[in-house]
Every structure is written in structure tokens, then in C-alpha cells.
Amino acid sequence: MFRIRTAALVCAGIIATSYANAENRAEFEKWLKQETASYQEYRDKRDKEFTGFLKQQWKEMQTFQGIVRDETPKPVKLPVAPPAPPKPPVVQVPPVEPPAPKPDIRPDIKPVEPPPIVKAPEPVAVPPSVVKVPPIKPVQPSADIKPAPVVSLPKGTPLNISFFGQSLRFTYDPKFKTRVGFAINAKVMSDHWSALSLADYEPLLKQINEQREPLQLNDWGYVLLVNQIAKGIYPGEQNEQLLFTWFMLTKAGYSARIAYEQNRVFLLLPARQQLFAAPYFTFDNVRYYALGFDGNKQKLGKVFTYDGQYPGASNALDMSMKKAINTGRKEKTREVSLKYNNQTYRVHIA
């Protein structure tokens, strides 16, 4: 009888616990749904406000030409210093003999003999000591740099890119494949931002951020990676590439802006360091440089741009490089031999 009552109590406890867990799970799912909807509403509201901002806040501006380094022509050959004037010859001065003592007129005092002249010893040539240099130990090659790991890929259109010798894989929302027309104006820019914001950009942004540390990217390396992805999504479409780069950098928290003329788009980015040979605009005493990715200097005249920031996007590029980009290379060494003082040395060079 006691066992039956105990079993009944245990079953009742399990049922009550399951009911409480189910009730808590339902409340949690309800809360999570509300929070997700609230975040989505905030994100949509933020993008919606920025879309409206882009429709009317463009203004024509004149760029400042990039700061250039000293362009004074430098000599082809290094100047040679004139020879030093010859040193005057050293004149050997003979030693002065002391005067002979005068004889004492007193007969009881004997004259004192002068002390003998002591000549300095002649310098003796000392043969140089032979210093034996121990053989140089070969340098141990460092460990191979490992390639960036393959991140987990969500569903989407697959994309394979080559980035500084690394083969990287990404997936992206096909809604990113939106185009702009030949003529560009404020409405086109606003509509394009709105179209990009409707794509599911967060999974792709997460994939890019996951590659940042293994690739050892600084801010400029991060920009190059985003633009390389843009080239894969929009092959041959430079305007779409720059607009995608602008959008993703803004979502990543960088203070990126865009400028346009009749049918061309320019990407504007601030930097903590002073950049040379890059045209720029100034907003609130901050320089926004027009940076390209084809190795050519950007040529801007009067263009249209806006003076404003997307909420939360305020970071300037830090161009300092503390680590080299991880290219996945394997270091190789070679042996170099040389002779010195009739002895052969072997050095391993990476």
C-alpha cells in the first residue's frame, strides 16, 4: 500500500513538473517572439527612416584633392661627399737638451752631475689577436601558417572567392541581386538601400566577421574582403559592388558614405590616419576619403553626397597593421654558404 501511494505521488509530481515546464516554455516562446518582432520592427524602422533620409538629403559638393607627398625632383644618383682635406704633416720636434750647469766658484763644493736623459721606449708592434667566429646556427623555420577555417554556412546562394591566396566559401540571400540603372540620382540611391535592407544580410555579415580573426584582418583588410564578396555577387558591375560594400560596412558599424555623379558611384570612408593621394570631403572636421579598389586614383569633381550617419555606424578605419594577412602560405627555407677567414658558414634563410 505504501508503495502504491509513493508511486502515485511521484507520478503526480512528474505531471505537475511537466505542466509547469510546458507553461514556462510557452511563456518563454511568447517572450522570444515579442522580442524578435520588436527587434525586427526597430531594424525595419531604422532602415525605413534612413531610406527616407536618402531621398532628400543629398547636396552637391566639391572634393578636395588628396594630399600629396613632396614632389621635388630627387637626384638620380646619390650625391657623393667631397673628400676630406688632408691632415697637416706631423712635425717631429727634437728633445731640448738642458743647459750645462755653471761651475761653482767655491772650491769646497763639487759640481752636481745632471741626471741622465731618459728616452721614451720605442713602440713595439703587437700582432693583432685572432678572434674565431663560431659557426652560425641554422635558423629553424617557423610553423606553417594555417588557412582560414571553413565556417558553417547557412542556406543561401553559394559563393566561392579567392582572397590573398585563400579559398573562401560564403552563402548569401539571393535578394541581394538587385541592380541600379544607368542614370543615378537620389531616388535610385534611396530605393537601392531599401532593396538591400530587405535582404537577409545578417547571416552573411556573421560569416564575414567569423573570418576576420583567422585571416588576421585589420580594418582595411576587412573592407577588402567585403568588396571581394561584392565582386563575386555582382561580377563586372562596379556601381553595385560599391553600393553593396557601403551597405555591409554600414551594417558592420563603419561610418561609410556614398557619393555619385551622373552614372558613377564613389565610396567614402573616414580613417584615423592621414591618407595620401586620395581625394576627400570634410564633414564636421572629419575627412571622408574616396577610396577605390582597382589601384587607380579616384578622380572626382562636383558630386552629390549626404551629410548624415546611419544609427550606430560611427567607426573610422584604423589603417595600422599589427599582423600580416594570413595567406595560408607555407614558408620555405634555402641554404646559403659563405666563406670568411678561410672558414665556411652555412645559413638557412626563410
Side-chain angles (χ1 to χ4, degrees), residues 256-274:
R257 301 190 187 187
I258 210 76
Y260 71 88
E261 51 185 17
Q262 294 179 352
N263 55 2
R264 190 178 176 188
V265 172
F266 302 94
L267 179 65
L268 308 179
L269 290 167
R272 298 183 186 179
Q273 295 80 13
Q274 179 173 284

Side-chain angles (χ1 to χ4, degrees), residues 65-78:
Q65 296 305 313
I67 301 174
V68 297
R69 297 185 183 273
D70 183 15
E71 297 181 352
T72 304
K74 306 300 184 295
V76 178
K77 294 183 179 180
L78 293 177

Side-chain angles (χ1 to χ4, degrees), residues 272-292:
R272 298 183 186 179
Q273 295 80 13
Q274 179 173 284
L275 305 184
F276 293 91
Y280 62 89
F281 299 90
T282 301
F283 299 101
D284 296 330
N285 296 323
V286 176
R287 291 178 179 175
Y288 283 75
Y289 296 92
L291 302 178

Side-chain angles (χ1 to χ4, degrees), residues 122-165:
E122 296 292 335
V124 180
V126 179
S129 59
V130 179
V131 179
K132 293 185 178 180
V133 181
I136 301 175
K137 296 181 180 180
V139 179
Q140 296 297 330
S142 58
D144 295 339
I145 299 178
K146 297 181 180 180
V150 178
V151 298
S152 57
L153 300 178
K155 293 181 180 181
T157 303
L159 175 65
N160 298 324
I161 66 170
S162 177
F163 184 73
F164 288 97

Side-chain angles (χ1 to χ4, degrees), residues 37-287:
S38 175
Y39 170 75
Q40 186 69 29
E41 180 182 358
Y42 168 75
R43 190 184 69 174
D44 294 344
K45 180 181 179 182
R46 185 175 55 178
D47 288 326
K48 183 178 180 180
E49 291 177 351
F50 193 66
T51 299
F53 170 83
L54 292 176
K55 286 183 178 180
Q56 53 188 344
Q57 297 299 327
W58 298 83
K59 56 184 179 180
E60 188 177 23
M61 295 190 66
Q62 178 71 39
T63 58
F64 294 94
Q65 296 305 313
I67 301 174
V68 297
R69 297 185 183 273
D70 183 15
E71 297 181 352
T72 304
K74 306 300 184 295
V76 178
K77 294 183 179 180
L78 293 177
V80 179
K87 296 182 179 180
V90 179
V91 179
Q92 298 292 337
V93 180
V96 180
E97 296 290 340
K102 295 180 180 181
D104 198 334
I105 57 175
R106 294 181 299 176
D108 56 340
I109 300 176
K110 295 181 178 181
V112 179
E113 294 292 335
I117 299 174
V118 180
K119 295 184 178 180
E122 296 292 335
V124 180
V126 179
S129 59
V130 179
V131 179
K132 293 185 178 180
V133 181
I136 301 175
K137 296 181 180 180
V139 179
Q140 296 297 330
S142 58
D144 295 339
I145 299 178
K146 297 181 180 180
V150 178
V151 298
S152 57
L153 300 178
K155 293 181 180 181
T157 303
L159 175 65
N160 298 324
I161 66 170
S162 177
F163 184 73
F164 288 97
Q166 295 273 23
S167 296
L168 305 178
R169 297 172 54 198
F170 298 91
T171 57
Y172 65 92
D173 188 347
K175 291 182 180 179
F176 274 124
K177 296 284 289 186
T178 180
R179 298 285 304 277
V180 294
F182 180 76
I184 298 177
N185 52 44
K187 184 178 184 305
V188 172
M189 294 290 95
S190 176
D191 292 344
H192 195 74
W193 175 275
S194 178
L196 293 177
S197 64
L198 293 177
D200 191 11
Y201 60 85
E202 290 180 337
L204 179 56
L205 188 61
K206 181 181 178 182
Q207 295 172 65
I208 298 173
N209 292 335
E210 287 176 345
Q211 289 288 6
R212 180 165 195 160
E213 183 174 350
L215 288 174
Q216 300 180 167
L217 302 179
N218 66 347
D219 286 351
W220 179 240
Y222 187 89
V223 174
L224 294 178
L225 177 59
V226 174
N227 186 255
Q228 192 68 17
I229 295 173
K231 291 179 179 178
I233 300 177
Y234 311 94
E237 303 294 337
Q238 186 175 12
N239 285 342
E240 283 79 358
Q241 294 169 11
L242 293 177
L243 289 171
F244 172 86
T245 305
W246 164 55
F247 177 84
M248 294 300 289
L249 291 179
T250 301
K251 292 297 184 179
Y254 289 99
S255 182
R257 301 190 187 187
I258 210 76
Y260 71 88
E261 51 185 17
Q262 294 179 352
N263 55 2
R264 190 178 176 188
V265 172
F266 302 94
L267 179 65
L268 308 179
L269 290 167
R272 298 183 186 179
Q273 295 80 13
Q274 179 173 284
L275 305 184
F276 293 91
Y280 62 89
F281 299 90
T282 301
F283 299 101
D284 296 330
N285 296 323
V286 176
R287 291 178 179 175

